[in-house]
């Protein structure tokens, strides 16, 4: 394997792992969205904020190691943050 | 550069960045230890716990990408956790 093959392979793995983690958070957001009307859990907001913090640290680290582009990292984070904002808006409207 | 040179270089960078972050948390622990007698800040515990969580996510991610050995990651985390436990013990004895 050449070094550029390896770099490509590592970058892809780094990105796929981040995407997996982002999907898990997205799933948490969706579950809470679906359950807004039925069983609201007040701890959800804290859990999601903690998850987002941990995830943003992973993204930041991947950028610093040079495994993903800064813009790619921002894109993944922004998408999750937008969906999270929508959830919080829906939660506030419920109150 | 060969692929094994690249791997070695990335592994070293990944580890150095983790060590830098660990040093920052260690510094926070030391500052609070020194200030136990004078200006105790109750938010310190929460800040440190959050920092530790974010850091453990980074370490976990580095292991999953294959940049560091699982045992190395555990070693770095355990050292910090031990020092943190000493700090909390000292804080409790103060109360």
């Amino acid at each position: 394997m050449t070094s550029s093959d390896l770099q490509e392979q590592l970058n892809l793995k780094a990105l796929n792992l981040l995407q997996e983690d982002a999907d898990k958070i997205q799933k948490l957001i969706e579950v809470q969205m679906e359950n807004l009307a039925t069983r609201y859990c007040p701890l959800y907001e804290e859990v999601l904020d903690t998850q987002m913090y941990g995830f943003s640290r992973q993204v930041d680290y991947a950028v610093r190691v040079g495994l993903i582009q800064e813009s790619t990292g921002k894109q993944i984070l922004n998408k999750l943050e937008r969906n999270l904002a929508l959830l919080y808006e829906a939660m506030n409207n419920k109150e």
Side-chain angles (χ1 to χ4, degrees), chain A:
Chain A
M1 184 162 43
T2 69
S3 67
S4 70
D5 285 345
L6 174 68
Q7 182 76 62
E8 204 176 313
Q9 189 182 304
L10 280 173
N11 293 358
L12 193 64
K13 189 172 183 187
L15 186 62
N16 283 343
L17 285 170
L18 287 179
Q19 199 54 61
E20 265 177 37
D21 291 345
D23 290 346
K24 275 183 211 154
I25 298 179
Q26 178 59 34
K27 193 76 206 156
L28 287 176
I29 294 175
E30 283 165 16
V31 167
Q32 180 63 1
M33 268 292 198
E34 283 160 19
N35 291 342
L36 267 189
T38 51
R39 33 196 181 113
Y40 169 71
C41 171
L43 278 179
Y44 233 93
E45 193 160 340
E46 202 171 324
V47 170
L48 277 171
D49 282 348
T50 306
Q51 292 284 326
M52 277 300 285
Y53 169 73
F55 183 64
S56 73
R57 291 292 297 263
Q58 275 177 237
V59 170
D60 180 59
Y61 179 69
V63 171
R64 286 156 71 209
V65 178
L67 295 169
I68 66 164
Q69 297 279 323
E70 198 177 341
S71 56
T72 309
K74 273 198 184 136
Q75 231 171 357
I76 301 176
L77 277 174
N78 284 346
K79 196 180 157 198
L80 274 180
E81 270 159 12
R82 267 199 308 275
N83 291 337
L84 203 57
L86 287 175
L87 171 63
Y88 288 166
E89 210 184 296
M91 283 163 95
N92 281 332
N93 288 342
K94 254 227 101 230
E95 277 169 10

